[in-house]
């Protein structure tokens, strides 16, 4: 069914030492554990000190490309930065467009861009801005709040505006927080679904736990993916598990992520 295990590069991005770790360091760590399928986390651009925000960006992207070739990595998708509270979505257009083009340059088939607000027409106009600036497919992620775009029917409506360039990404944790029937959501997405953010929670907060650590019905998730013939990757977005861990515990964090995947399949 799925092509295999994948993780966002932010799996080890947090630690109790509060030390920033960039993608060009982390992809080598993951590769050393046999993980070759990766979701590039350009949310790193939300950190003012990121090399992606200054003249070092070109060399950084070049390095990620060289590591990809050296280690035989597969960049299966990417995640664009998104507006933080207190800022306007348009304030972030420049960073998002850069992320789209970096992802395209590195061979990612699609990149996740969060929707803005709740209005369908507003989101159609929002995504049109980015479609004009890059050739990469944009995957729309379901959000966790009822005041945002959070359901498959809404995302499918946006996709209708440009079905060749717009697709869907299901975030399991967000759907669970909205108390949605995740299997039904998957069936509603159908062929529009090109990617996943896999994580678990208690249904109340966005905990980004490994599968089976929360209350999601993973049997239903897997059945839904099988029924639509999903062929993409089972991509973990489980970065909060490592927040109270030391950097020296990274092997344990990675092992737990892989073990949880094997328990599901």
């Amino acid at each position: 069914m799925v092509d295999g295990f994948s993780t966002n590069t932010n799996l080890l991005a947090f630690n109790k030492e509060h030390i920033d770790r960039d993608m060009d360091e982390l992809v080598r760590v993951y590769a050393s554990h046999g993980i070759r399928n990766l979701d590039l986390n350009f949310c790193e651009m939300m950190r003012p000190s990121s090399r992606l925000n200054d003249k070092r960006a070109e060399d950084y992207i070049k390095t990620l490309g060289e590591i990809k070739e050296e280690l035989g990595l597969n960049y299966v998708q990417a995640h664009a930065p998104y507006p933080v509270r207190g800022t306007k979505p348009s304030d972030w257009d420049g960073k998002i467009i850069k992320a789209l083009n970096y992802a395209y340059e590195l061979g990612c088939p699609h990149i996740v861009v969060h929707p803005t607000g709740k209005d369908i027409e507003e989101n159609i106009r929002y995504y049109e801005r980015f479609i004009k600036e890059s050739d990469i497919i944009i995957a729309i992620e379901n959000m966790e709040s009822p005041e945002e775009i959070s359901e498959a029917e809404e995302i499918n409506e946006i996709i209708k505006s440009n079905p060749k360039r717009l697709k869907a990404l299901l975030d399991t944790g967000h759907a669970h927080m909205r108390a949605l029937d995740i299997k039904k959501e998957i069936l509603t997405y159908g062929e529009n679904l090109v990617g996943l953010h896999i994580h678990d929670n208690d249904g109340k907060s966005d905990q980004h736990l490994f599968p089976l650590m929360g209350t999601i019905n993973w049997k239903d998730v897997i059945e839904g993916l099988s029924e639509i013939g999903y062929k993409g990757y089972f991509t973990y977005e489980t970065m909060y598990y490592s927040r109270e861990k030391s950097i020296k515990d990274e092997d344990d964090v990675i092992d737990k992520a892989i073990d949880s995947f094997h328990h599901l399949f």
Side-chain angles (χ1 to χ4, degrees):
M1 178 190 62
V2 300
D3 279 343
F5 174 79
S6 167
T7 183
N8 189 288
T9 51
N10 67 8
L11 176 64
L12 296 172
F14 299 99
N15 52 75
K16 69 179 184 180
E17 292 91 351
H18 303 291
I19 296 173
D20 292 331
R21 305 185 75 183
D22 292 344
M23 288 187 286
D24 55 350
E25 172 196 359
L26 291 173
V27 295
R28 289 190 178 277
V29 175
Y30 303 136
S32 72
H33 286 261
I35 300 173
R36 294 290 187 273
N37 304 316
L38 296 167
D39 175 357
L40 296 178
N41 186 37
F42 288 109
C43 296
E44 192 177 293
M45 298 169 79
M46 297 166 69
R47 193 174 75 225
S49 62
S50 171
R51 286 175 286 158
L52 291 167
N53 293 324
D54 58 38
K55 62 184 180 180
R56 298 171 293 174
E58 184 177 345
D59 286 341
Y60 189 177
I61 297 302
K62 181 181 178 182
T63 297
L64 286 171
E66 290 171 346
I67 296 172
K68 176 185 178 183
E69 295 303 316
E70 174 192 347
L71 300 179
L73 304 180
N74 181 19
Y75 295 154
V76 303
Q77 64 189 29
H79 198 311
Y82 51 87
V84 297
R85 289 179 182 177
T87 63
K88 296 183 296 184
S90 58
D91 293 340
W92 291 80
D93 282 7
K95 289 182 186 294
I96 293 172
I97 289 167
K98 284 181 180 180
L100 266 61
N101 287 305
Y102 292 153
Y104 187 75
E105 180 180 344
L106 290 167
C108 299
H110 58 266
I111 184 169
V112 179
V113 179
H114 285 188
T116 179
K118 183 69 172 175
D119 186 78
I120 300 292
E121 293 301 321
E122 178 186 357
N123 272 279
I124 288 172
R125 292 190 295 271
Y126 180 68
Y127 286 108
E128 281 177 351
R129 303 208 293 262
F130 303 125
I131 288 170
K132 293 175 182 177
E133 299 292 340
S134 176
D135 293 325
I136 196 169
I137 289 172
I138 295 171
I140 306 169
E141 177 178 352
N142 58 302
M143 304 308 293
E144 71 270 26
S145 168
E147 298 177 357
E148 300 173 286
I149 297 293
S150 58
E151 299 186 31
E153 288 186 355
E154 296 171 314
I155 291 176
N156 282 348
E157 281 299 311
I158 299 170
I159 289 171
K160 285 179 183 177
S161 69
N162 196 327
K164 290 185 178 180
R165 295 292 310 283
L166 294 174
K167 298 297 179 183
L169 177 134
L170 170 68
D171 185 298
T172 57
H174 291 172
H176 192 47
M177 288 177 66
R178 291 280 287 110
L180 299 174
D181 182 328
I182 300 180
K183 180 177 179 180
K184 183 179 178 181
E185 290 292 289
I186 291 169
L187 298 179
T188 301
Y189 284 122
E191 63 182 12
N192 283 335
L193 189 66
V194 297
L196 301 169
H197 280 169
I198 295 295
H199 56 103
D200 212 336
N201 60 51
D202 59 6
K204 300 176 183 178
S205 58
D206 201 16
Q207 296 166 303
H208 288 268
L209 304 172
F210 295 138
L212 306 175
M213 293 180 70
T215 55
I216 288 177
N217 184 330
W218 289 101
K219 179 176 179 290
D220 276 0
V221 173
I222 293 168
E223 284 181 356
L225 294 172
S226 179
E227 288 183 26
I228 68 168
Y230 177 75
K231 300 296 184 184
Y233 290 88
F234 207 72
T235 302
Y236 277 35
E237 192 185 51
T238 50
M239 61 282 192
Y240 292 162
Y241 180 80
S242 67
R243 284 191 296 190
E244 302 305 318
K245 301 285 185 179
S246 170
I247 288 178
K248 66 183 181 181
D249 297 322
E250 64 184 24
D251 290 355
D252 175 65
V253 174
I254 294 172
D255 288 346
K256 278 186 166 51
I258 296 172
D259 285 348
S260 71
F261 174 77
H262 290 315
H263 275 95
L264 292 177
F265 293 95

